């Protein structure tokens, strides 16, 4: 065997031995970390416990006697609470505001009544379900527009004052 291959093999052996020592050190620390996690398991929320079990792949005992396991998947078939409607059309149809808007709401928005309502309530998407009327907001002209209007009026006033009198002017002889 060549001397360079022996040196390369020795270097690789030393590197592997160093890695082995690190792994053994970590393996010795794992039980300590698990003990700490179990001691503070009562402080963790159920979601945090599930994350910990997913990471370490073992069950973590909760002080109440239950265990959280990583093998449990998402809760299948769970029921979500009902949501109060957010929008209500004059016809009585309601929508919670979640997901795509229903066809009835899209059709109403395109109708003349919907367009008139949208024009009166520019900040709202649909009529609220609570029965509260959405007041039309007070629209203030931006400062830039106001300056333009003032300039335009001033220009007209200047033109009028510099304009020659409209009546016939008597010629001086």
């Amino acid at each position: 065997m060549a001397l360079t291959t022996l040196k390369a093999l020795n270097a690789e052996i030393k590197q592997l031995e160093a890695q082995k020592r690190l792994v053994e050190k970590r393996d010795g620390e794992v039980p300590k970390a698990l003990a700490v996690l179990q001691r503070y398991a009562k402080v963790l929320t159920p979601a945090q416990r599930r994350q910990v079990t997913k990471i370490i792949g073992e069950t973590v005992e909760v002080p109440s006697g239950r265990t959280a396991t990583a093998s449990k998947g998402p809760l299948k078939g769970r029921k979500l609470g009902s949501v109060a409607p957010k929008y209500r059309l004059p016809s009585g149809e309601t929508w919670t505001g979640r997901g795509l808007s229903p066809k009835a709401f899209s059709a109403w928005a395109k109708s003349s009544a919907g367009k008139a309502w949208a024009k009166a309530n520019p900040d709202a998407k649909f009529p609220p379900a609570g029965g509260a009327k959405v007041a039309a907001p007070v629209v203030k002209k931006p400062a830039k527009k106001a300056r333009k209007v003032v300039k335009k009026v001033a220009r007209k006033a200047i033109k009028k004052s510099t304009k020659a009198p409209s009546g016939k002017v008597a010629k001086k002889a």
Side-chain angles (χ1 to χ4, degrees):
M1 243 197 242
L3 186 62
T4 55
T5 56
L6 284 175
K7 287 182 180 180
L9 286 174
N10 280 336
E12 191 172 341
I13 288 171
K14 287 180 182 179
Q15 186 179 13
L16 289 172
E17 287 175 348
Q19 285 179 353
K20 181 182 175 187
R21 283 190 296 270
L22 281 174
V23 168
E24 288 172 351
K25 183 179 178 184
R26 288 181 191 158
D27 286 345
E29 293 173 356
V30 168
K32 293 176 189 175
L34 285 173
V36 169
L37 283 173
Q38 287 186 351
R39 188 172 25 182
Y40 292 105
K42 62 183 175 186
V43 180
L44 300 175
T45 64
Q48 290 171 329
R49 283 189 222 120
R50 283 192 298 271
Q51 286 178 338
V52 168
T53 56
K54 191 184 267 187
I55 291 169
I56 62 176
E58 292 184 23
T59 59
V60 176
E61 287 187 26
V62 182
S64 64
R66 297 180 300 156
T67 58
T69 60
S71 62
K72 278 188 182 178
L75 299 173
K76 292 185 179 177
R78 73 177 180 176
K79 304 264 181 176
L80 297 176
S82 61
V83 179
K86 188 174 180 181
Y87 303 110
R88 183 182 311 273
L89 293 180
S91 63
E93 294 194 44
T94 60
W95 177 42
T96 60
R98 294 185 176 183
L100 296 174
S101 58
K103 290 180 182 178
F105 279 79
S106 300
W108 179 81
K110 292 176 184 174
S111 71
S112 61
K115 288 178 182 177
W117 186 88
K119 192 173 186 180
N121 303 291
D123 293 340
K125 190 172 184 177
F126 294 111
K133 298 282 184 184
V134 177
V138 177
V139 179
K140 294 182 179 179
K141 287 186 178 179
K144 192 173 185 180
K145 270 192 172 180
R147 283 195 300 261
K148 283 185 179 180
V149 170
V150 169
K151 284 182 181 178
K152 195 173 187 179
V153 170
R155 272 190 245 130
K156 283 184 180 179
I158 292 171
K159 282 183 182 178
K160 282 184 180 180
S161 66
T162 58
K163 209 175 194 183
S166 60
K168 292 184 177 179
V169 180
K171 289 185 181 179
K172 293 183 181 177

